[in-house]
Amino acid sequence: RWVLLMLTCYVALQLVPLPLALLRVVSPARVQIHEGLAGFLPVGGFAPLSVVPAVTLEHGLRLAACVAAFLLLRELACRFAERPWILAFPIVGIAALEALLGLAQFFSEGSEGYAHGTYVNRNHFAGLLEMSLPFAVMYPVAVLRGAHSRYTAPARPALVACAWLAVAAVILLGIIYSLSRMGFVAALASLFVMGALALGADQRAWRRWLAAGLVGALVLVGIIFLPPNELIARFGELAASDDISGDTRVQIWSETRRLIAAFPLFGCGLGGFQSAFFRYKQVAPQHTVDFAHNDYLQLLAELGLVGFTLLAALVVAALWAAVRGALRGGRPEVSALGLASTGALTAI
């Protein structure tokens, strides 16, 4: 909770007007931009860390909403401690509906040739599904492992597990027919991590390695036999994407590093990448580059080393909590939920 509060306050700090004397010490590049406007606009002796305060405010409010949702779900998880999976049901339900819509799009006449659900971008669609898939896969495990304490009829948990595995299959098909290369790889990577953790827990070292090898072999089989011809063809064109070539992405990343070097500590402001990047941009001169096409580089450019460290601490804490729940959850449903959460975080 402290990291969440510090991260939110940090983005608010990027909006606070600071004396130029102080700003010159913590962000010299920001002062250069501020003073460069003197010939066009009246500038005062104060300026914020963000190069585009209005955009940073918008992103900051969005971040605050995400933090509020995070804390609300954390509180609900405490209140539903005896039924921890109840919060995962809406996630899987939404993903299943999106996947069904995507499959209908793919197989309908006159379609765009890939599944994207209600999303414009197929990769964002696959991102939702790849984070939801682990929950659909692990809930049947939780049901079957806890069947003796929940149900009297042995057929009921088996039927529930089969229904959920069918939902998982629909979500996986949605990922496959989105033709998103990284979506497919991320989904299989999450399944590999969950399988290796589940089979290797409380085992000797050689057995853990054997379990990881067996799961890896299954994932390799999936890579070979699951993708349709359209997805295989997209892997064959790995140097290009829908809107930007691989070489162009590499050049954007290289020039983003120059932006990071100019705003190393406190960044150019959350959401300020597009505006701040113009000064260092040489790639694609006829086009606007509004994203770095690399979340890590973009967040490092916008938040700086201080803010990126806070965000990384939050992600590591969440991942550690998931792994700890998977390995030491005690109750079958808790350990299965920990495995699912670990798989979801691995995927994204």
Side-chain angles (χ1 to χ4, degrees):
R1 286 176 295 183
W2 279 107
V3 176
L4 282 170
L5 178 62
M6 291 170 65
L7 183 62
T8 308
C9 292
Y10 177 80
V11 175
L13 175 64
Q14 291 184 317
L15 295 169
V16 175
L18 301 176
L20 292 186
L22 174 60
L23 196 60
R24 188 171 281 108
V25 175
V26 298
S27 184
R30 178 66 182 93
V31 175
Q32 292 178 9
I33 294 174
H34 181 75
E35 293 177 341
L37 293 172
F40 308 94
L41 298 171
V43 295
F46 293 82
L49 288 165
S50 171
V51 297
V52 195
V55 177
T56 300
L57 175 61
E58 177 187 346
H59 282 69
L61 292 174
R62 185 177 293 117
L63 173 65
C66 292
V67 169
F70 184 98
L71 293 175
L72 175 62
L73 289 170
R74 186 178 184 275
E75 178 66 22
L76 288 173
C78 294
R79 291 176 180 266
F80 290 100
E82 295 302 316
R83 301 175 63 192
W85 273 91
I86 196 168
L87 297 179
F89 293 163
I91 297 172
V92 177
I94 292 170
L97 292 174
E98 286 280 357
L100 286 171
L101 176 59
L103 291 174
Q105 291 167 340
F106 181 85
F107 290 105
S108 64
E109 294 184 5
S111 68
E112 297 175 87
Y114 57 87
H116 58 85
T118 60
Y119 288 78
V120 175
N121 189 304
R122 75 173 98 198
N123 298 307
H124 298 168
F125 167 76
L128 169 71
L129 300 191
E130 75 197 25
M131 287 189 288
S132 307
L133 178 63
F135 295 98
V137 170
M138 290 309 303
Y139 185 67
V141 177
V143 168
L144 294 175
R145 290 182 62 187
H148 66 279
S149 61
R150 286 193 178 186
Y151 304 106
T152 56
R156 183 177 177 181
L159 291 174
V160 171
C162 288
W164 274 78
L165 288 175
V167 171
V170 168
I171 294 175
L172 180 58
L173 287 172
I175 296 171
I176 292 172
Y177 285 105
S178 71
L179 307 185
S180 170
R181 293 169 296 209
M182 271 311 299
F184 179 67
V185 172
L188 294 183
S190 69
L191 296 177
F192 168 75
V193 169
M194 288 193 302
L197 272 179
L199 296 178
D202 300 325
Q203 300 289 340
R204 294 180 180 179
W206 69 271
R207 290 182 178 177
R208 286 198 296 268
W209 283 107
L210 178 60
L214 291 174
V215 175
L218 288 175
V219 170
L220 183 60
V221 170
I223 292 175
I224 296 173
F225 292 104
L226 283 178
N229 293 334
E230 295 89 345
L231 184 55
I232 294 173
R234 291 207 74 230
F235 274 108
E237 303 167 356
L238 197 58
S241 70
D242 300 331
D243 54 352
I244 188 169
S245 70
D247 292 339
T248 303
R249 285 179 185 243
V250 172
Q251 193 173 346
I252 291 173
W253 298 341
S254 177
E255 293 174 6
T256 299
R257 285 159 50 193
R258 295 170 56 199
L259 173 60
I260 294 170
F263 297 87
L265 290 178
F266 297 98
C268 63
L270 188 62
F273 175 85
Q274 178 178 338
S275 296
F277 188 63
F278 274 116
R279 188 176 185 183
Y280 309 95
K281 176 181 178 294
Q282 295 178 347
V283 63
Q286 294 180 318
H287 299 278
T288 298
V289 177
D290 48 0
F291 298 103
H293 296 277
N294 182 307
D295 291 337
Y296 304 101
L297 288 178
Q298 181 157 342
L299 288 169
L300 193 54
E302 294 182 352
L303 296 176
L305 184 60
V306 177
F308 188 84
T309 301
L310 290 173
L311 187 60
L314 177 64
V315 172
V316 170
L319 183 58
W320 170 243
V323 173
R324 184 177 57 191
L327 299 179
R328 306 175 186 173
R331 291 185 296 155
E333 60 267 28
V334 175
S335 59
L337 185 61
L339 283 169
S341 300
T342 303
L345 289 169
T346 300
I348 195 59

